[in-house]
Amino acid sequence: VAMAATRSVMRAVRVFEFGGPEVLKLQSDVLVPAPKENQVLIKVHACGVNPVETYIRSGTYARKPALPYTPGSDVAGVIESVGEHVTAFKKGDRVFTLETLSGGYAEYAVAAANRVFPLPDKLDFRQGAAIGVPYFTAYRALFQKGCAKAGESVLVHGASGGVGLAACQIARACGLKVLGTAGTEEGMNVILTNGAHQAFNHRDPNYTEKIKACTGPGGVDIIIEMLSNVNLDADLQLLSRAGRVMVVGCRGRIEINPRDTMSKESSIIGVSLFLATEEERRECATAVLDGIEAGWLKPVVGLEYPLEKVAKAHEDIICSSGARGKMVLLL
């Protein structure tokens, strides 16, 4: 009984009102959640930070959680306990998640067992926290929505971030010609060591001309777009016939000329991992776990923050000059 008493409260980040990074409050007296049937309780070692979590926190996103809430979906850690009917996991198993029910910015998190996956020994917990949202999103954008095929070309815009690097690794492993953009020399080097055949600096005023020179008159088949409010108009000029822009990220409005889609019968397709069916999630999981086993799926971890610095992490993921890998919180 004494054991249970010591574990009954934990440190967790709580949001009581929507707003800027300052609304993220670290509290040390949050009750440890208990797993119900088909759920597991995970002792969190690392949790990924995703741009979408900053949009949700600000209250500007389509999905608004009930307040107060704890942000965070991609955690990596060790199973602490399991609810009824859970047979796939037991106490002590190393795991990573795609999403949590109680929030990942915390010492313990509850997740549905079907959103939890075994974390192979060859990856550490920091890397485990960099798998869920980025790799599942990248796979969905490329194959489930983008219908990518070996031999096609893909341009990954903002390729040095979590989703971008995941897209580069997956596309390269699946036989696509991979082009990537980043905002720094360091970012470009990270892209090239993670699957891109060529890297371009999107701060270079002539970078789109350089991409055109690289792809030739045919253009690029697929663009994975992290900042569509900046790039979408230019993207339409870069596409091949029947090319498609996969909108993975957006931070505002943009004006485009729809005629640009007519001349090539190109498509602009939105991507939301949140809308994936159970079957689609299983397909993503299979591809991801196979990639880890084969050795080409190696998450790149970028900036790391302790839980106390969560507000700084939220500021940096939106404002920093150039990403290089997945941002994580360490517990």
Side-chain angles (χ1 to χ4, degrees):
V1 179
M3 265 293 288
T6 57
R7 253 203 327 112
S8 57
V9 295
M10 63 174 180
R11 292 190 313 143
V13 174
R14 302 292 280 162
V15 175
F16 293 92
E17 59 180 327
F18 296 113
E22 69 282 354
V23 303
L24 297 160
K25 306 289 186 200
L26 180 58
Q27 301 198 299
S28 53
D29 57 353
V30 179
L31 288 175
V32 174
K36 300 189 174 76
E37 61 177 348
N38 300 314
Q39 296 177 359
V40 298
L41 178 67
I42 299 163
K43 184 175 192 338
V44 179
H45 286 256
C47 180
V49 179
N50 298 290
V52 69
E53 286 146 25
T54 69
Y55 312 151
I56 293 170
R57 181 214 70 228
S58 69
T60 58
Y61 198 63
R63 274 191 294 137
K64 283 194 182 70
L67 296 168
Y69 78 99
T70 295
S73 55
D74 328 0
V75 308
V78 174
I79 297 282
E80 178 72 19
S81 62
V82 302
E84 280 183 86
H85 312 308
V86 175
T87 52
F89 302 103
K90 61 185 188 310
K91 183 176 166 65
D93 287 351
R94 286 164 44 95
V95 294
F96 71 92
T97 69
L98 181 58
E99 57 189 65
T100 67
L101 295 163
S102 59
Y105 297 8
E107 288 178 322
Y108 292 91
V110 163
N114 64 355
R115 302 285 193 281
V116 177
F117 308 95
L119 179 65
D121 288 339
K122 64 170 85 167
L123 299 182
D124 62 29
F125 291 118
R126 292 154 49 252
Q127 291 173 303
I131 301 171
V133 170
Y135 283 88
F136 281 59
T137 299
Y139 183 87
R140 182 169 180 77
L142 283 164
F143 299 104
Q144 293 178 339
K145 294 292 163 191
C147 305
K149 293 180 179 62
E152 287 192 312
S153 57
V154 59
L155 169 64
V156 183
H157 247 316
S160 61
V163 177
L165 286 167
C168 288
Q169 290 178 3
I170 294 171
R172 181 64 180 256
C174 294
L176 282 93
K177 180 181 181 183
V178 186
L179 314 176
T181 74
T184 63
E185 199 65 41
E186 190 186 1
M188 288 166 69
N189 290 333
V190 171
I191 295 170
L192 290 169
T193 53
N194 282 281
H197 292 88
Q198 276 183 279
F200 303 87
N201 190 328
H202 57 65
R203 294 179 200 280
D204 172 350
N206 299 320
Y207 86 95
T208 52
E209 295 311 312
K210 291 179 178 172
I211 292 171
K212 281 179 186 165
C214 175
T215 60
V220 67
D221 298 306
I222 302 171
I223 298 177
I224 306 289
E225 185 51 78
M226 312 302 169
L227 202 59
S228 45
N229 55 298
V230 172
N231 302 319
L232 189 57
D233 188 48
D235 288 343
L236 295 176
Q237 321 298 323
L238 294 172
L239 286 178
S240 65
R241 210 173 141 182
R244 46 263 187 227
V245 180
M246 312 309 301
V247 178
V248 172
C250 184
R251 295 181 188 174
R253 302 177 72 84
I254 186 171
E255 191 171 303
I256 63 165
N257 183 350
R259 183 170 284 162
D260 293 335
T261 65
M262 294 160 61
S263 56
K264 296 173 182 170
E265 292 195 324
S266 55
S267 316
I268 301 166
I269 303 169
V271 179
S272 171
L273 186 56
F274 184 64
L275 296 176
T277 63
E278 189 57 49
E279 194 179 351
E280 287 172 329
R281 268 192 299 269
R282 274 203 298 273
E283 183 195 338
C284 290
T286 304
V288 164
L289 293 168
D290 284 354
I292 296 171
E293 200 176 325
W296 58 256
L297 195 158
K298 287 198 200 73
V300 179
V301 178
L303 297 169
E304 302 174 7
Y305 299 79
L307 212 46
E308 296 83 329
K309 294 269 176 15
V310 63
K312 180 88 174 88
H314 267 226
E315 205 174 300
D316 291 351
I317 200 167
I318 297 300
C319 302
S320 73
S321 60
R324 48 172 196 287
K326 171 79 180 223
M327 184 181 282
V328 296
L329 298 172
L330 298 180
L331 287 99

